[in-house]
Amino acid sequence: MTSEQSDDDIFIDSTISKAHRFFPPSSPKPITTKRNHEASHDTISPLIRQIKSASLSIGENGENERTVHNRRRPSVLDEKALREADTETVREQRIDAISRSYQDILQSIGEDPSRQGLLKTAKRAAEALVFFTKGYEQSIRDVVSDAIFDEECENMVVVKEIDMYSLCEHHMVPFFGKVSVGYLPNKRVLGLSKIARIVEVFSRRLQVQERLTRQIAEAIAEAIEPRGVAVIIECLHMCMIMRGAQKVNSRTTTSAMLGEFREDPKTREEFLTLGRIKPF
Amino acid sequence: MSQSSDDIFIDSSTSNDYFTFSSSSPKSIISMKCGQELAHDALCSSLCPTKSASFSISENGDSDRNKHGIRKPSVLDEKALREDDTVLVRDQRIETISRSYQVILESIGEDPLRQGLLKTPKRAAEALVFFTKGYEQTIRDVVSDAVFDEECENMVVVKEIDIYSLCEHHMVPFFGKVSVGYLPNKRVLGLSKIARICEVFSRRLQVQERLTRQIAEAIAEAIQPRGVAVIVECLHMCMVMRGAQKVNSRTTTSAMLGVFREDPKSREEFLSLGRITPF
């Protein structure tokens, strides 16, 4: 078992899996929780292994060989939530630190922080930012909890046009839009509001739209091990509209297709029709 | 004599809105205004009731002062908080704001050393300075000499100008459209200047009500028309992304000066010509 843990260490430190560096490096220990799930992972349907390797085959050459040797990618469901261990006091301290920073920012932009409209702005802005990043406070396993049900459903389930609001991690400016999620159940279905909650937890963070899409797809794939998952996200990026290129009407669309949605074009087409995001 | 009265006026607790002036430089305001006094005294008399009217609701003391002929601080010549910035000062601002953002990144629990966040403090600081670039220009510079004599007597409407601003209470964006209309009095304003006026006032920490009023007053001062009307319709992210979380709700504010305030038919004409379609 210990050799497996050290192999996982190597896996996480691999330059290939940069995407997983959003684990705070200060707490690598949670890898131990994965051991508890190793058993259930070993019983995963072979399709999930295929899904997992397929979703990585394009960009990361070394990865395929590793998955062939049955290294598990870090579980999305059990990824440690950065602020999960926060007590009330810690939360207050965070808000204080952020308030002081905002106070400095108000002065630096040339404004007068003691005028009536700005008196409590530093505190309000800090609380707003903590709210916009509340996705760091929950792990997905808590969100999904036990809303997994056995059903004989074989047809596509689509939850479309879920409103989503996130913060661009490059400029800390909002981007927002809609998410459509579809999956082909394999004897197990997920509570519908849990799909929306998964979207919420991942989006209320500093995000990149591509990563957000992938995380939602992988979380659902892990939670209920369906025959396939598809996610499309269409967003307006304020960092592109309010500044920079200043293109007012341009929307960015990203998608993640796992399992049958990746393999079968007809299934993909069905999802793209059922889950189509209308202009907003 | 008028200078000391102006001091009193600026320090008056009823005119809180004018404390956007950086309090470190009240002198420049007064000396600039002295230069403008003559021009103001020659203001079309129909505009005087306009100014008191636009304040009649909330600031009682104001109307009394206007009757005594004391001018409100000119919107056109309001000092721009960052007007004197050299490139060096600007870089210092960005440095300071970057450091603040670095602290913020750590405080929200993130890892500022991960690849995606390495240059985020600098980018966020530059973005914020861009979002507040309205502090760098005075309206007089924006309007410059694009004031022309024309025989035009009919309404001019520039509608659905996109604006993007920052809510001064939460520092979260709000954005939407502005429609501006005015009835010229022998003088018209360059059309792009109207959009530039909207831009300069919106790229600041703002409150939608104040933004609307400022745009109306700037145009009123620049060309002294028979009337000015402004409607602003915005989505407030502070209301959509947090708090009440009402996704479809838009906020509309308006400012009606001169003929638009007095005559319902003119107002109606503007509201139909300048109607902001849902976005």
Side-chain angles (χ1 to χ4, degrees):
Chain A
M1 284 305 243
T2 38
S3 64
E4 271 195 54
Q5 180 169 19
S6 60
D7 285 342
D8 282 347
D9 282 334
I10 294 170
F11 186 81
I12 284 169
D13 289 343
S14 152
T15 50
I16 297 168
S17 40
K18 276 198 184 133
H20 298 108
R21 289 221 175 150
F22 46 68
F23 286 35
S26 55
S27 48
K29 290 299 166 223
I31 294 165
T32 50
T33 58
K34 278 178 41 281
R35 250 193 259 155
N36 296 333
H37 296 282
E38 291 269 339
S40 61
H41 280 200
D42 286 333
T43 57
I44 283 180
S45 100
L47 226 69
I48 291 295
R49 281 197 212 118
Q50 189 183 339
I51 288 174
K52 287 192 165 182
S53 58
S55 67
L56 285 168
S57 59
I58 295 175
E60 296 154 306
N61 287 333
E63 202 79 334
N64 279 342
E65 285 166 43
R66 287 174 199 269
T67 46
V68 161
H69 292 132
N70 287 345
R71 302 277 174 267
R72 295 285 164 255
R73 291 191 24 237
S75 154
V76 177
L77 245 54
D78 293 308
E79 200 175 283
K80 180 164 171 63
L82 301 178
R83 302 206 306 242
E84 198 176 16
D86 270 17
T87 59
E88 268 297 308
T89 314
V90 172
R91 190 179 188 278
E92 295 297 319
Q93 283 167 355
R94 288 191 195 277
I95 290 183
D96 271 340
I98 302 174
S99 295
R100 275 178 299 218
S101 299
Y102 268 119
Q103 191 73 3
D104 292 337
I105 287 175
L106 282 178
Q107 273 170 341
S108 305
I109 60 177
E111 264 285 7
D112 169 22
S114 53
R115 70 173 171 90
Q116 190 209 39
L118 297 185
L119 273 179
K120 295 189 196 161
T121 290
K123 183 108 192 296
R124 283 185 293 238
E127 301 206 335
L129 186 60
V130 165
F131 183 88
F132 293 153
T133 52
K134 69 179 167 68
Y136 292 126
E137 289 167 12
Q138 273 189 302
S139 68
I140 306 300
R141 192 166 287 281
D142 291 336
V143 167
V144 166
S145 56
D146 48 2
I148 294 175
F149 307 105
D150 297 318
E151 280 291 332
E152 284 304 321
C153 176
E154 294 278 338
N155 289 303
M156 197 183 298
V157 178
V158 176
V159 181
K160 66 187 254 189
E161 298 194 320
I162 302 167
D163 287 310
M164 178 222 90
Y165 303 92
S166 188
L167 279 182
C168 150
E169 75 177 17
H170 299 139
H171 302 93
M172 292 181 68
V173 173
F175 70 94
F176 51 88
K178 292 178 193 265
V179 183
S180 286
V181 174
Y183 69 97
L184 281 164
N186 185 12
K187 305 284 194 289
R188 292 203 283 176
V189 299
L190 186 57
L192 296 172
S193 79
K194 300 308 182 202
I195 296 175
R197 282 180 188 270
I198 288 173
V199 170
E200 184 75 355
V201 168
F202 281 124
S203 61
R204 296 289 188 179
R205 299 178 175 188
L206 296 185
Q207 271 289 8
V208 165
Q209 192 178 328
E210 298 85 336
R211 181 194 313 137
L212 173 62
T213 317
R214 183 178 56 75
Q215 286 176 312
I216 295 170
E218 289 178 358
I220 294 173
E222 250 191 77
I224 49 171
E225 293 146 16
R227 285 154 35 219
V229 183
V231 178
I232 44 172
I233 299 187
E234 197 168 302
C235 281
L236 277 175
H237 288 251
M238 288 282 105
C239 59
M240 203 160 87
I241 293 174
M242 282 177 76
R243 59 165 290 289
Q246 299 193 57
K247 296 302 180 190
V248 170
N249 295 317
S250 166
R251 292 187 307 245
T252 305
T253 305
T254 53
S255 59
M257 303 287 171
L258 304 182
E260 274 188 40
F261 290 98
R262 180 180 284 253
E263 260 110 66
D264 179 11
K266 284 219 157 287
T267 309
R268 204 185 312 154
E269 206 184 305
E270 185 184 340
F271 167 70
L272 292 173
T273 313
L274 288 176
R276 197 176 83 88
I277 295 174
K278 295 193 297 287
F280 50 89
Chain B
M1 272 278 90
S2 61
Q3 182 166 16
S4 59
S5 311
D6 285 347
D7 280 334
I8 295 169
F9 186 79
I10 286 172
D11 290 342
S12 151
S13 57
T14 54
S15 37
N16 281 335
D17 281 340
Y18 296 103
F19 284 178
T20 53
F21 290 29
S22 107
S23 48
S24 56
S25 51
K27 290 291 171 243
S28 54
I29 298 159
I30 293 165
S31 53
M32 271 196 279
K33 273 172 53 283
C34 283
Q36 296 298 329
E37 290 270 337
L38 285 170
H40 282 198
D41 285 334
L43 261 180
C44 159
S45 57
S46 65
L47 233 58
C48 295
T50 296
K51 286 194 165 181
S52 57
S54 68
F55 282 92
S56 55
I57 294 172
S58 50
E59 292 153 308
N60 287 332
D62 253 25
S63 311
D64 290 342
R65 288 175 200 274
N66 276 340
K67 282 189 203 132
H68 295 130
I70 295 172
R71 294 288 166 254
K72 283 170 43 218
S74 153
V75 177
L76 244 56
D77 293 309
E78 198 177 288
K79 177 157 173 65
L81 301 177
R82 302 205 307 239
E83 197 180 15
D84 298 324
D85 271 16
T86 58
V87 174
L88 198 61
V89 172
R90 188 181 188 277
D91 284 341
Q92 282 167 356
R93 288 190 195 279
I94 290 183
E95 273 293 310
T96 318
I97 301 175
S98 296
R99 277 187 295 249
S100 298
Y101 268 117
Q102 185 78 4
V103 173
I104 287 175
L105 281 180
E106 281 161 2
S107 306
I108 59 178
E110 263 285 6
D111 170 23
L113 298 174
R114 69 174 172 90
Q115 190 210 38
L117 296 186
L118 271 180
K119 295 191 197 161
T120 291
K122 184 108 192 294
R123 281 186 294 237
E126 300 207 336
L128 187 60
V129 165
F130 183 90
F131 294 154
T132 51
K133 68 179 168 67
Y135 292 126
E136 290 167 12
Q137 274 188 302
T138 61
I139 308 300
R140 191 165 288 284
D141 291 336
V142 166
V143 167
S144 56
D145 49 3
V147 175
F148 307 104
D149 296 316
E150 279 292 331
E151 282 305 318
C152 176
E153 292 280 336
N154 289 305
M155 198 183 300
V156 178
V157 175
V158 181
K159 65 187 254 190
E160 298 195 320
I161 302 166
D162 289 309
I163 55 146
Y164 303 92
S165 188
L166 279 182
C167 150
E168 75 177 16
H169 300 139
H170 301 93
M171 291 181 68
V172 173
F174 70 92
F175 51 88
K177 294 179 192 261
V178 181
S179 286
V180 174
Y182 70 96
L183 281 162
N185 186 12
K186 304 285 194 288
R187 293 205 279 175
V188 299
L189 184 58
L191 296 172
S192 80
K193 301 309 182 201
I194 297 176
R196 282 179 189 271
I197 288 173
C198 294
E199 183 77 354
V200 167
F201 281 125
S202 61
R203 296 289 188 179
R204 300 180 175 186
L205 296 185
Q206 271 288 7
V207 164
Q208 192 178 325
E209 298 85 336
R210 184 194 313 137
L211 172 63
T212 316
R213 182 177 56 75
Q214 285 176 315
I215 295 171
E217 288 179 357
I219 295 172
E221 250 192 77
I223 49 170
Q224 290 127 23
R226 286 159 29 225
V228 182
V230 177
I231 43 173
V232 179
E233 193 169 305
C234 283
L235 267 178
H236 288 250
M237 287 285 105
C238 59
M239 203 161 86
V240 169
M241 281 177 79
R242 62 165 288 289
Q245 298 193 59
K246 296 301 180 189
V247 170
N248 296 316
S249 165
R250 292 186 306 247
T251 304
T252 306
T253 52
S254 59
M256 303 287 170
L257 305 183
V259 173
F260 289 102
R261 180 179 287 254
E262 262 111 61
D263 177 18
K265 286 224 157 284
S266 296
R267 204 183 315 153
E268 207 185 303
E269 185 184 340
F270 167 71
L271 290 173
S272 69
L273 287 177
R275 198 175 84 87
I276 295 173
T277 48
F279 50 89

